Structure formats: structure tokens, C-alpha cells
Amino acid sequence: MTRTSPFGSPLFLGFDHLEQMLERLSKNGGEGYPPYNIEQTGPSSLRITLAVAGFTMDDLSITVEDSQLVIRGRQAEEAQNRVFLHRGIAARQFQRTFVLADGIEVKGAWLDSGLLHIDLERIQPESRARSIQIGMRPAGASR
């Protein structure tokens, strides 16, 4: 079965990066850890909150890569001399990815009581309409 792309039409010029982001998003769609909330905190601002209990600021990293917000967590190796009678708290790494629309900027992040908060803001773009003048074909240009 052939998979068709929503951007397969010749009318969508230069949208290859969107198709790649949708593919990456579909691969990450089944992950459930860590749980998160997305809330609107103002008319043009959002906050993502992730539950990252057990992680310190040094264990977490936040980057923006190709219009994607990537949050990674990796806990430091525990001391080898610890003996667990029961281990119910997993020390596992994670990567959570959010696709950012054009004009969304990360304003800041902070860790508080096991919750990682990331503030985002939508920057209102200015209208960029312009006229294209039609001229004569340059001499020597192929048809």
C-alpha cells in the first residue's frame, strides 16, 4: 500500500520540512512519559508543564531544533553501592518533542517542585504582501 503525502500536490512548493516534521511527530506520538499539560496563559502565550519528578536542572536539557522544541531528561548514574529491596521508581531517560508553528518563540523555562515549566509566545508577524512587476523576457533566456 502506498502512503500519500498531504503535501504531494504541486501547489505546495517548499513544504518538505513540514512533511518531515509530521513524520517525526507520528513516530513520537505513542510516548506517554513524562506526562505534560499545555495551557494558554495569555492571548498570545502558552505554557508547557512536564512532570519530571526526580530530575534536577542538570539532568534536563531544552533545545529548539528545526522548529521543534526538544526536551531531554537523563538522570546521573546512581551510586553502585545502593541495594534496593524494591525498585518502583524508574530512573529512565526521556525525550519529548513538540512541533512549533512559525512565530512561536521559547521565552523561558524553570523547574519547580518536580514540574518543568516552559513559556512560549506567539510573535505577531507583520503583513508581507508585495507586488511583482511583469517585464519582458531577457534576451537569450530559454523558453
Side-chain angles (χ1 to χ4, degrees):
M1 179 172 145
T2 305
R3 191 172 144 201
T4 60
S5 166
F7 300 103
S9 169
L11 300 176
F12 290 111
L13 299 175
F15 285 89
D16 301 345
H17 67 286
L18 285 177
E19 186 173 14
Q20 292 170 355
M21 283 192 289
L22 288 172
E23 282 183 31
R24 287 185 213 148
L25 184 61
S26 67
K27 290 178 185 175
N28 291 337
E31 296 177 13
Y33 181 77
Y36 64 92
N37 291 337
I38 301 175
E39 62 183 301
Q40 186 167 359
T41 57
S44 61
S45 56
L46 302 169
R47 178 173 296 142
I48 299 172
T49 302
L50 289 93
V52 292
F55 288 86
T56 66
M57 285 189 282
D58 294 332
D59 297 332
L60 299 168
S61 71
I62 302 170
T63 57
V64 177
E65 304 169 3
D66 299 326
S67 298
Q68 294 185 81
L69 175 66
V70 181
I71 301 114
R72 293 181 179 93
R74 181 181 195 110
Q75 291 179 323
E77 295 294 323
E78 296 183 17
Q80 297 295 331
N81 58 354
R82 293 177 73 180
V83 177
F84 291 96
L85 299 178
H86 171 76
R87 186 164 186 169
I89 301 172
R92 66 185 202 188
Q93 64 184 11
F94 71 86
Q95 177 175 313
R96 175 68 73 180
T97 305
F98 298 91
V99 177
L100 301 177
D102 288 340
I104 298 284
E105 290 186 6
V106 178
K107 290 298 183 183
W110 74 96
L111 187 62
D112 181 37
S113 300
L115 297 174
L116 176 64
H117 304 279
I118 304 166
D119 284 336
L120 309 169
E121 187 171 345
R122 178 182 304 274
I123 306 302
Q124 298 299 326
E126 58 187 55
S127 177
R128 297 185 338 186
R130 63 184 178 116
S131 295
I132 308 298
Q133 187 171 356
I134 301 172
M136 299 295 292
R137 180 173 50 140
S142 62
R143 292 183 185 233

